[in-house]
Every structure is written in C-alpha cells, then in structure tokens.
C-alpha cells in the first residue's frame, strides 16, 4: 500500500505551556493522511510508560502508568498519583495496565483496572474493581474480580485489556505468559479471553459455565498475547488484536468456545527463525481476520465510530509499538480488510493505547520513559 505523505509545522504561540488541554494547546503538528489532514496535539508529557487512557465525564483524562501509578489530567495539569492503587509487579512487561470506566461511572464512580501482580508462585494477570473518591485523590473499595489461576515465573505477555459489553459484563484478555503450550490448556487462563460479570461472577452465557472441559470463565482460547480488545458499537461484535512471534500479529473475532490456534497454527515463526506448530491452518482451529508479517507489535485496538472523521467510519485503528504508528485498517461492505494506512510512523514513539473520545477525536499514549498523551483531531488542509 502507498505510504502516507506527511507534512508538519509547529503552531507556536506565546506562553506555550508544557501541558495543554485541547482548548489550550499551544503546539500542534499538522499531518496529511490519505483522506484528511489531522492535528496532533500534546496534552501531557513526563508520564512514565503510560499504558491506558479513558475520558472522564467532565472531559478530563485518567491515565495508568505501568510502574503502578494512576493519574488524572485536566486543564493542562497532571495530578499527583492517586492513592489506593493495588500493589503491582512492575517488572519486564508487567505493572499497572488497563483502566476502564463502568458504564454508570458518572454516578457510581466505579472503574476497573488490570495489572500484573505477584505472589510466592510468581506473577500473573489480575483485574480489580474500585471506586474513585469524589476528590479524585484515592481509590476506595478496591476488590479483585479476576486472578488467573496459575502464577508462574517470568515477566512477559500478560495481555491485560478490558472491553465492557453492552450488558456491563467484562471481557479481559490474558496472555500466554511466554509459555506457548498454556494457550491450549483449557484448565488454564493463560492465552485466553475471559468473560466475567462486573462482580467477578460467571455469566450465564459462558460456553463452559456448566462444563468440566474448561475453566468456567474462559470465552475463547488459543491466543498468544492479546493487548487490544474492543466491541464495534455498530454490530456488537468483539474483536481482539494480539502479538504474534516473528510475524503473525493477528486480528480475531473471539466467539464462545472457539480455539484461535496458537501455537498449533500461526503465520509467524520463532524469534530464532524456527517453525512454530503445524502450519497456518488446521481443522477445528479458527483463522485470523487479518495478520501482519512482519509484525507491527500491536497495542490497543478500536473500531472507529465518530463524527469527526466520517471517512474512517468502521475502520479498525490499531496502535503499534515496533514501527511507532497507528494502523488504519479499511474494510469493505462484507467486513473484509482491503487496505492499510500507516499514520505517524516513527513520529511520536511507541504507541500503546488508542481510543475514540466522545467528540470523535483520537487519544493515544506513548509507552516511553517520557511518555505523552496525544490528541488527534481534524485540521483544515494547508493552502497550496
């Protein structure tokens, strides 16, 4: 596919602040994409490996930092760390990861967090519910709602994204923890999508709720390290994006009880170059909707539905770490992927999260020592 042509200029105004909200932003880059010019504004910097962002009801932002901090960004200011965050295992790829607001957050102030936590058995993926205090300084009622059954040594591939279904139940991605065979063990949460009620109980429609074949929380298996999970608000379908090994990053549509193949089938190879598994297809195992080779090292995933960029309606937007970009995946009427536009490649660092804000802008965070929160909005094309 054609590479995007970009141009940029800095719109410098007097008194530029180090942190700026959308209405106050002093510095912005104009980038020409295939279909529209966009403005990329820095809303905050100095964040340590930010992993996730959500928009608060009043337009502020709540952001996780992987070392174990939760902060609020509002009116150009970054808050002190919020007290009460669970203790995390901030080693390797582990730490505090996703944050998701309950559908009734505006009244309940309830939110969900995922993290790598540790015990004497090693570490694993855990999810919590909590209530943000009215003064936004602390978390209350912090309650574990999911803890993977088998903690193990090693500090990689936790998965750890949350998608909230229309009924308020939670879908949580869990990585294989660097032990690929765990993805095919149905009595192990590793390498799975789990489905839970908001209180951690098992939903009635789970495929193994009343079965001895698999753990009752498991929705689907055969995943490697899914770090993006989302619902398309138009059709209600669940989608994931996950890291392959050397090649084989995948987009999947996890359905109940199905096996997505890792490591029996994959379009990737081991980092050594050695073959993995039995090939790229096998009866009874699901094919990805799309795969990348070479890998882009995907972070989060969102299906664009918003007013700001009608040209992108229904496109998948994938954050990517390896090539430091947003991948905009275009689909035809049948839902098949037809083209990819790679935006911002190498311009802003490793992009870990991307979401659609209520106004249709994109928000993204960069997974760096000096990480940033960035806003992507529509801009008029430059004359000439």
């Amino acid at each position: 596919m054609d590479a995007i042509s970009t141009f940029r200029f800095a719109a410098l105004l007097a008194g530029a602040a180090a942190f700026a909200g959308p209405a106050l932003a002093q510095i912005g880059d104009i980038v020409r994409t295939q279909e529209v010019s966009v403005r990329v504004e820095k809303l905050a910097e100095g964040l340590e490996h930010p992993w996730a962002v959500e928009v608060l009801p009043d337009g502020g932002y709540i952001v996780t930092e992987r070392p174990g901090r939760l902060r609020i960004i509002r009116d150009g200011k970054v808050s002190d760390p919020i007290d009460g965050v669970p203790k995390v295992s901030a080693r390797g790829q582990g730490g505090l990861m996703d944050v998701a607001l309950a559908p009734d957050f505006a009244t309940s102030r309830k939110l969900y967090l995922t993290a790598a936590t540790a015990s004497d058995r090693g570490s694993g993926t855990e999810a919590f519910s909590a209530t943000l205090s009215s003064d936004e300084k602390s978390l209350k009622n912090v309650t574990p709602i999911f803890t993977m059954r088998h903690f193990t040594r090693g500090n990689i591939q936790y998965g750890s994204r949350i998608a909230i279904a229309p009924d308020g139940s939670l879908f949580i991605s869990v990585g294989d923890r660097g032990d690929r065979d765990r993805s095919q063990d149905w009595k192990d949460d590793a390498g799975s999508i789990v489905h839970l009620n908001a209180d951690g109980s098992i939903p009635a429609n789970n495929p193994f709720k009343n079965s001895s074949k698999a753990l009752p929380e498991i929705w689907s298996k055969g995943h490697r390290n899914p770090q993006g999970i989302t619902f398309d608000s138009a059709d209600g379908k669940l989608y994931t994006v996950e890291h392959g090994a050397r090649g084989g990053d995948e987009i999947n549509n996890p359905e109940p009880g199905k096996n997505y193949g890792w490591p029996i089938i994959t379009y990737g190879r081991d980092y050594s170059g050695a073959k993995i598994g039995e090939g790229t297809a096998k009866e009874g195992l699901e094919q990805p909707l799309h795969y990348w080779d070479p890998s882009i090292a995907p972070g989060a995933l969102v299906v664009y539905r918003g007013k700001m960029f009608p040209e992108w309606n229904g496109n998948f937007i994938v954050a990517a770490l390896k090539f430091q970009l947003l991948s905009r995946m275009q689909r035809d009427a049948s839902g098949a992927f037809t083209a990819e536009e790679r935006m911002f490649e190498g311009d802003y660092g490793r992009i870990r999260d991307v979401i659609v804000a209520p106004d249709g802008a994109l928000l993204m965070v960069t997974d760096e020592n000096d990480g940033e929160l960035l806003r992507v909005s529509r801009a008029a094309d430059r004359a000439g």
Side-chain angles (χ1 to χ4, degrees):
M1 275 152 275
D2 293 337
I4 66 171
S5 61
T6 64
F7 64 85
R8 58 173 37 198
F9 64 89
L12 300 174
L13 300 178
F19 299 98
L24 303 175
Q26 305 290 315
I27 300 175
D29 296 336
I30 303 299
V31 180
R32 177 65 193 174
T33 72
Q34 286 178 354
E35 295 181 338
V36 63
S37 290
V38 301
R39 180 183 296 276
V40 183
E41 298 167 298
K42 185 189 301 184
L43 305 183
E45 61 187 356
L47 301 167
E48 187 175 1
H49 293 283
W51 218 87
V53 59
E54 284 279 359
V55 182
L56 296 168
D58 70 350
Y61 311 101
I62 188 164
V63 177
T64 61
E65 292 175 293
R66 191 161 50 78
R69 294 182 290 271
L70 186 65
R71 299 183 188 270
I72 289 174
I73 299 167
R74 182 183 288 110
D75 298 329
K77 297 180 181 179
V78 179
S79 75
D80 291 334
I82 294 169
D83 291 333
V85 173
K87 184 177 180 180
V88 305
S89 178
R91 300 177 60 194
Q93 296 173 4
L96 183 62
M97 290 181 275
D98 208 7
V99 59
L101 304 184
D104 64 351
F105 176 85
T107 54
S108 71
R109 304 192 67 75
K110 186 176 182 178
L111 54 79
Y112 306 99
L113 299 168
T114 62
T117 61
S119 73
D120 57 5
R121 297 173 290 125
S123 65
T125 304
E126 193 161 11
F128 302 85
S129 63
T131 303
L132 180 65
S133 64
S134 57
D135 63 5
E136 299 183 335
K137 293 183 178 180
S138 64
L139 295 181
K140 308 294 185 184
N141 308 314
V142 179
T143 305
I145 55 172
F146 167 74
T147 306
M148 67 184 305
R149 308 286 183 107
H150 304 296
F151 278 30
T152 52
R153 304 298 173 186
N155 304 296
I156 62 173
Q157 293 170 205
Y158 294 93
S160 211
R161 286 283 178 195
I162 304 168
I164 302 179
D167 65 1
S169 62
L170 309 177
F171 287 81
I172 301 170
S173 67
V174 185
D176 70 359
R177 298 288 288 105
D179 183 350
R180 61 183 61 165
D181 292 337
R182 295 180 69 182
S183 290
Q184 291 298 321
D185 182 350
W186 292 79
K187 297 298 182 70
D188 189 341
D189 296 302
S192 70
I193 305 300
V194 301
H195 180 214
L196 304 166
N197 291 317
D199 62 0
S201 61
I202 306 300
N205 65 338
N206 271 21
F208 305 109
K209 180 178 173 65
N210 299 307
S211 170
S212 61
K213 176 187 174 181
L215 295 176
E217 64 267 23
I218 287 177
W219 182 259
S220 61
K221 281 287 280 183
H223 303 279
R224 184 175 182 268
N225 189 25
Q227 290 194 351
I229 185 168
T230 192
F231 281 94
D232 182 352
S233 61
D235 62 17
K237 290 183 178 180
L238 180 70
Y239 296 97
T240 59
V241 64
E242 59 191 83
H243 290 259
R246 190 171 132 187
D249 297 344
E250 295 182 355
I251 295 175
N252 286 300
N253 166 216
E255 295 184 336
K258 292 189 176 181
N259 186 337
Y260 290 81
W262 174 259
I264 300 171
I265 61 171
T266 177
Y267 286 88
R269 286 184 170 266
D270 194 88
Y271 295 110
S272 68
K275 179 182 176 181
I276 298 172
E278 302 177 19
T280 58
K282 185 175 182 179
E283 185 176 357
L285 302 180
E286 303 303 313
Q287 284 290 301
L289 302 178
H290 177 80
Y291 71 90
W292 286 269
D293 187 8
S295 296
I296 63 169
L301 162 71
V302 68
V303 182
Y304 188 84
R305 303 290 180 186
K307 295 180 179 178
M308 189 172 290
F309 300 108
E311 303 91 343
W312 297 352
N313 187 51
N315 291 179
F316 282 39
I317 305 209
V318 180
L321 302 163
K322 179 179 177 182
F323 294 118
Q324 303 180 5
L325 56 81
L326 287 185
S327 171
R328 183 174 68 87
M329 306 294 297
Q330 301 165 57
R331 298 189 292 170
D332 63 20
S334 72
F337 292 100
T338 58
E340 177 185 21
E341 178 183 15
R342 297 189 168 193
M343 302 187 293
F344 318 132
E345 186 166 358
D347 290 341
Y348 298 104
R350 291 160 46 88
I351 303 176
R352 173 67 71 176
D353 195 17
V354 60
I355 67 169
V356 179
D359 65 358
L362 296 178
L363 298 170
M364 55 190 188
V365 297
T366 61
D367 186 0
E368 304 284 353
N369 290 327
D370 182 7
E372 299 175 342
L373 170 62
L374 301 169
R375 179 175 183 264
V376 180
S377 59
R378 195 175 191 93
D381 288 337
R382 186 172 64 176

